[in-house]
Amino acid sequence: MDSKCMELLPLVCAVLADPKQALSDDTCLEKFLDWFGALTAPGSPLLEIHPCLITFISSVCQSKTADPTILSFALNMVQHRETMSFLFKKGLIKVVLHLQTDKSLFVASAANQLLAHILNFSERTTTCISLENGSKSDPSEMQKDQGTTECPEWTDGIMEIMKHVEESLSSSVSFRACQSLKLVAWSLAHCQPHVREMLWQRTEGAVEMLLGNEQSSLTQLFMEVLQAAARTPLFSQTNSSIVTLMETMLCTLKPTQAIPFASGIIHLENCPQSLKKKATGVILRPLELVTAPADLQQLHSDLVQEGGCQHTSLEEHLSQKSSCISLLCLSLSSISELAGMGSLNLEMPVQSVILSVISVLKVCVGMPISSSPVISTFRNLIGCSKVQKCALDSLASLCQSPENIVRSEVFSVLLQYLDSPDTNSTVLQKAYQVTLTWLCICSEPPPQALFSVLMKRLCDMRWEVRDSSLEFLAQLSSHFHENLSYCEDLLSSGVPGLSFTLLTDPESYVRASAIFALGRTVRTTNKAGVPVSGHVLLGELARRFVDILAQDTEVFARRAVIKVFTLWLSSPCPTEDLEEPVRSVLTLGSEDLDWEVKVHTLELAQILISQTLAQSGHSTSPYAVSCATRPSGDHLTESLHRLQHLKIFSVLFRGLFDCDRPVAQSACSILLSLKLVINENTPLMDRKAVCDLQGQSWVEDSLKKHLEKLHVGAESQKSMGVVEVLLVLDLEDMQQTLGQSSDHLENSPCSLMEDILAATRMSEDNAVDCY
């Protein structure tokens, strides 16, 4: 603790201990505690050095008028090893157990958390008691470790809690049972092995009894207790009762509860295969009942009833619209998880699951299906976007299926969704993504019908549809840019020309997506072997993008332009028509009002720097292109002249002194990498032959002032080139300064204590609402 803090600490303690003083905001106390936590270590002499802390704690704890916030603060400060013994010896466990069922839910919850903390307390477990493996949890059978001292209060206190849990779970008062189930769920995962054994022995019988009584109000807590127990070594024991209880719950829970519970079982480690299979069946059952033919459904129903599960309840839920939708969404969402875990084949083949999901999608969009379901659910599902989105997510997760036989079915239903005028815009967007996912695993290009759908959707009245269609086109072109057949189909479709007209769309999101789509498309179609007719030329498009960067009032389109130029320059795309547009983009981008545009412009500059320096045998980033290495000062000088011609140094120095820190950080990092290259080759090159900095606006203000601070006079500045400026600037120090958080000066213990003193000294007359 520095001297300033040592001086302020007694004053702060005195103010906080004064009940007449009040803090309007207690967040400063939380930061205060964090600071003390960082200062305190085992054996720390903090209290001896600062007796004002002991005085403060004693004063607050003895005061009858202390503010509850300050009292709470003083008690978090105190963490004493003998606290647990104090609770046991003074008989306070009875008080806490009584408060566990207090009328105030806040008090009851706090008491329950304290009891869980006591059960999870490990301080005495290694020095006091251990339970023999397999023995009943009786106090007389607790044995002391050799060489340790007795702690009967701890033993008695734990047994008192155990007895209370057992009695509460057998109680007819629902709230008592509820609180104890919560306590068991919180404690099982963290308490010591022998305590866990005792706790579970007193819980499992009560849970079995409560399940038999169909205590529906406690169902959720039953599931939490079983899931907590299943994450402990109790689950792996031979003939574990947890497995039996879970199987019982799978058959007795309501379908809307059973599916999430089954999904949780699937994720358990060391889960028996038989239990996992039953859980998978519970998840798939609603989907199967809706889509399977009647004979298969009857067979499955017989198997379910043989297993002791109720089938009628599921049919009733599926016959009602709201519960049918909820059940199908739960089933489909869980299938997405199962697909990623390789657990589907436990119950039915993946191909059958895919066909069932396709059937649901057909039903929702009004297409006929071949099966004849027992339950008439069609009218509940037609046009239901919630089920459609869940089914599409499931279909995407099932795309790794090796069976080619289902792919035609998949694309058939997806094209129906993409073409249907009734498809919701969010569903359409998801259908695009699923289509792309399935196309990416196929070796053949997209069907021609897809381009007809795109032409239709690019003219849609809804801007969201136009936007998602352009995004899909960009992703499609990115994936198939090497496929000649795709390029030919794309050009003959008329999609690129229609996309070009959307550069003037009234919605800025659509304009930005059109820029991305055309940027990807022109990269795809400007290749050897692709017909010239039908596509937009790179040079023409680049000039159009420059106009957008200069004129568009919305940032989304301007950001898109910079990103597309970055894409073009970082890929093996013809760039002979891009030099002049790139110069304009760098200038316009560095002068933009949006900080993201400026950062992306600097990323573009980094690519150009790396590619240019690579020609002289140097590199500053992974973007560098491979070429013959020519490490000489003359070639480096030529490269720097080239960068100056592109106006890159203007971009970098303007960014270095930008008011937005991310921009300045990026510029500083790039300049540092340049400085490193120059330092390594200073003896080989002409330090002043690169360029003249005079007459440029950024020299006249920020850079000029900075050089003056470094004692570089006006006359010297006139003759300085870029190389000399780079060598003079202390870029390392600037980078360190820029890397500091904005609150590095204010967010300190000293400032914190000053804030507390200032807040408590402020009278009500001086308090002003800042709003």
Side-chain angles (χ1 to χ4, degrees):
M1 190 183 300
D2 59 38
S3 58
K4 183 65 174 177
C5 289
M6 294 179 69
E7 178 184 340
L8 292 175
L9 185 60
L11 299 175
V12 172
C13 287
V15 165
L16 293 178
D18 186 355
K20 296 179 182 179
Q21 303 282 1
L23 286 175
S24 59
D25 183 9
D26 60 1
T27 55
C28 58
L29 298 179
E30 295 180 21
K31 295 180 180 178
F32 212 32
L33 277 177
D34 291 340
W35 178 47
F36 278 120
L39 286 176
T40 308
S44 169
L46 188 67
L47 296 177
E48 288 80 358
I49 299 175
H50 305 287
C52 62
L53 292 174
I54 298 177
T55 305
F56 164 70
I57 295 169
S58 300
S59 174
V60 172
C61 291
Q62 292 173 13
S63 173
K64 295 182 180 180
T65 58
D67 183 273
T69 301
I70 301 299
L71 177 60
S72 174
F73 167 69
L75 294 172
N76 287 339
M77 288 184 73
V78 180
Q79 293 188 10
H80 204 276
R81 292 180 178 274
E82 300 302 320
T83 303
M84 204 61 68
S85 297
F86 172 78
L87 287 173
F88 290 128
K89 290 179 180 178
K90 299 298 181 181
L92 294 178
I93 294 299
K94 288 184 174 64
V95 179
V96 178
L97 290 173
H98 175 71
L99 292 174
Q100 189 203 26
T101 54
D102 193 88
K103 293 181 180 179
S104 168
L105 291 177
F106 294 103
V107 174
S109 177
N112 227 11
Q113 290 180 32
L114 177 56
L115 289 170
H117 184 71
I118 292 170
L119 289 176
N120 297 338
F121 189 66
S122 60
E123 179 75 13
R124 291 291 188 180
T125 55
T126 57
T127 58
C128 295
I129 61 172
S130 63
L131 186 67
E132 290 183 344
N133 292 334
S135 65
K136 294 295 181 181
S137 51
D138 188 274
S140 62
E141 298 188 29
M142 291 185 180
Q143 298 182 354
K144 299 188 295 292
D145 292 339
Q146 291 184 355
T148 63
T149 58
E150 295 184 5
C151 49
E153 297 88 359
W154 193 91
T155 302
D156 294 342
I158 293 295
M159 294 311 303
E160 190 172 1
I161 296 174
M162 297 292 177
K163 182 179 179 182
H164 172 82
V165 168
E166 192 169 20
E167 291 175 351
S168 297
L169 293 177
S170 304
S171 171
S172 58
V173 181
S174 179
F175 185 64
R176 286 191 64 189
C178 174
Q179 287 294 89
S180 286
L181 284 172
K182 287 181 181 178
L183 174 60
V184 173
W186 290 344
S187 304
L188 279 174
H190 304 290
C191 59
Q192 295 298 303
H194 57 278
V195 177
R196 182 188 301 127
E197 291 279 355
M198 289 190 288
L199 192 58
W200 180 244
Q201 287 173 13
R202 281 158 173 75
T203 303
E204 59 179 332
V207 170
E208 289 178 4
M209 182 184 68
L210 291 171
L211 275 175
N213 294 337
E214 297 184 352
Q215 291 277 0
S216 58
S217 61
L218 301 175
T219 300
Q220 183 61 37
L221 288 170
F222 292 156
M223 292 190 287
E224 291 177 10
V225 167
L226 287 176
Q227 287 170 343
R231 295 187 181 94
T232 70
L234 295 168
F235 191 51
S236 303
Q237 292 178 354
T238 307
N239 299 322
S240 171
S241 60
I242 302 172
V243 175
T244 305
L245 289 171
M246 284 186 160
E247 290 176 343
T248 303
M249 289 204 75
L250 282 174
C251 292
T252 56
L253 286 172
K254 293 179 181 178
T256 50
Q257 295 174 318
I259 294 175
F261 184 62
S263 182
I265 288 175
I266 298 295
H267 286 82
L268 291 173
E269 294 183 9
N270 304 316
C271 182
Q273 200 73 356
S274 59
L275 178 59
K276 187 177 289 189
K277 184 176 181 180
K278 289 181 180 179
T280 306
V282 168
I283 291 171
L284 295 174
R285 202 166 298 141
L287 180 66
E288 189 178 6
L289 283 172
V290 171
T291 60
D295 54 346
L296 289 180
Q297 287 188 19
Q298 188 57 48
L299 175 63
H300 186 81
S301 176
D302 295 340
L303 292 173
V304 169
Q305 289 175 358
E306 286 178 10
C309 297
Q310 297 297 318
H311 186 66
T312 308
S313 174
L314 185 58
E315 289 184 344
E316 291 175 353
H317 278 76
L318 289 172
S319 64
Q320 301 171 14
K321 184 172 183 178
S322 60
S323 56
C324 174
I325 291 172
S326 298
L327 270 177
L328 270 181
C329 289
L330 283 171
S331 178
L332 290 165
S333 299
S334 298
I335 285 171
S336 299
E337 297 180 23
L338 292 176
M341 301 172 61
S343 301
L344 281 175
N345 284 314
L346 290 169
E347 187 68 12
M348 59 192 297
V350 175
Q351 182 174 323
S352 298
V353 178
I354 294 175
L355 292 173
S356 294
V357 174
I358 290 174
S359 294
V360 170
L361 286 169
K362 287 182 175 180
V363 170
C364 289
V365 82
M367 295 174 68
I369 62 173
S370 57
S371 61
S372 52
V374 174
I375 312 168
S376 179
T377 59
F378 285 17
R379 64 181 182 275
N380 298 330
L381 300 179
I382 293 177
C384 180
S385 60
K386 189 175 181 180
V387 174
Q388 288 173 336
K389 286 186 278 191
C390 288
L392 287 168
D393 283 336
S394 297
L395 195 59
S397 67
L398 295 165
C399 70
Q400 300 302 324
S401 172
E403 294 87 355
N404 291 323
I405 191 172
V406 300
R407 289 181 181 170
S408 60
E409 290 279 340
V410 168
F411 288 123
S412 174
V413 72
L414 287 174
L415 282 172
Q416 179 68 24
Y417 269 77
L418 295 177
D419 191 54
S420 173
D422 298 324
T423 303
N424 179 283
S425 59
T426 57
V427 173
L428 181 72
Q429 184 180 32
K430 196 171 286 288
Y432 274 135
Q433 296 307 312
V434 179
T435 302
L436 184 69
T437 301
W438 276 83
L439 284 172
C440 288
I441 66 167
C442 301
S443 55
E444 63 271 10
Q448 287 189 337
L450 188 59
F451 294 106
S452 300
V453 169
L454 269 177
M455 287 291 288
K456 175 182 175 180
R457 289 304 189 182
L458 290 175
C459 300
D460 200 285
M461 294 293 292
R462 296 165 292 179
W463 74 262
E464 298 93 342
V465 172
R466 301 195 300 275
D467 185 58
S468 57
S469 300
L470 287 165
E471 288 180 350
F472 175 67
L473 174 61
Q475 294 166 334
L476 205 62
S477 297
S478 177
H479 182 75
F480 289 101
H481 70 275
E482 297 291 346
N483 190 299
L484 185 61
S485 176
Y486 169 79
C487 297
E488 293 174 347
D489 290 343
L490 175 63
L491 291 174
S492 63
S493 69
V495 168
L498 184 55
S499 301
F500 191 85
T501 65
L502 292 176
L503 291 175
T504 57
D505 194 276
E507 176 56 53
S508 62
Y509 290 108
V510 177
R511 297 198 298 273
S513 295
I515 292 168
F516 279 121
L518 286 166
R520 295 281 187 182
T521 300
V522 78
R523 176 191 172 203
T524 301
T525 56
N526 278 253
K527 291 181 178 296
V530 179
V532 176
S533 61
H535 67 76
V536 181
L537 296 176
L538 178 64
E540 178 187 353
L541 191 61
R543 289 187 290 274
R544 182 72 181 88
F545 285 174
V546 171
D547 292 339
I548 292 173
L549 184 60
Q551 300 169 12
D552 203 303
T553 57
E554 298 286 344
V555 298
F556 305 109
R558 303 202 304 272
R559 291 172 185 170
V561 167
I562 303 293
K563 290 180 180 178
V564 166
F565 270 91
T566 301
L567 170 71
W568 287 345
L569 292 179
S570 59
S571 63
C573 179
T575 59
E576 59 274 7
D577 297 331
L578 292 181
E579 181 166 323
E580 284 306 312
V582 164
R583 290 185 66 191
S584 301
V585 165
L586 288 169
T587 301
L588 291 168
S590 65
E591 296 173 349
D592 200 277
L593 297 177
D594 180 64
W595 71 268
E596 286 194 41
V597 171
K598 290 183 283 191
V599 167
H600 294 320
T601 302
L602 288 167
E603 292 172 357
L604 180 62
Q606 173 70 82
I607 294 173
L608 289 166
I609 291 170
S610 297
Q611 292 179 342
T612 303
L613 291 183
Q615 297 173 8
S616 58
H618 303 89
S619 174
T620 60
S621 86
Y623 291 112
V625 294
S626 60
C627 62
T629 301
R630 299 178 296 171
S632 72
D634 290 340
H635 288 120
L636 181 57
T637 302
E638 289 177 14
S639 296
L640 294 177
H641 275 296
R642 161 82 174 154
L643 296 177
Q644 173 62 16
H645 173 71
L646 291 171
K647 300 184 179 180
I648 282 180
F649 294 117
S650 298
V651 173
L652 294 178
F653 285 117
R654 183 180 290 114
L656 182 65
F657 299 101
D658 195 272
C659 58
D660 289 305
R661 188 168 57 165
V663 179
Q665 283 180 307
S666 180
C668 188
S669 177
I670 297 172
L671 285 168
L672 268 172
S673 62
L674 264 177
K675 184 177 181 178
L676 179 62
V677 173
I678 291 171
N679 277 334
E680 292 175 349
N681 296 273
T682 300
L684 301 176
M685 60 183 298
D686 183 352
R687 296 177 56 169
K688 296 185 179 180
V690 178
C691 62
D692 179 15
L693 301 182
Q694 299 306 305
Q696 301 186 43
S697 59
W698 51 269
V699 175
E700 297 302 324
D701 40 61
S702 299
L703 181 57
K704 182 177 179 180
K705 293 176 182 177
H706 193 77
L707 291 173
E708 289 173 353
K709 289 180 181 178
L710 297 174
H711 307 292
V712 179
E715 292 301 318
S716 299
Q717 290 181 30
K718 290 180 181 179
S719 61
M720 290 181 71
V722 169
V723 175
E724 285 191 313
V725 172
L726 282 176
L727 297 176
V728 167
L729 289 176
D730 190 354
L731 293 170
E732 293 79 5
D733 182 68
M734 295 177 73
Q735 186 182 50
Q736 184 177 2
T737 302
L738 288 167
Q740 292 178 325
S741 61
S742 59
D743 61 353
H744 72 280
L745 294 177
E746 293 78 17
N747 190 16
S748 64
C750 181
S751 175
L752 182 63
M753 288 192 283
E754 288 176 343
D755 289 344
I756 293 174
L757 292 173
T760 53
R761 286 169 182 166
M762 181 184 295
S763 66
E764 292 184 5
D765 294 337
N766 293 330
V768 178
D769 187 350
C770 64
Y771 297 103

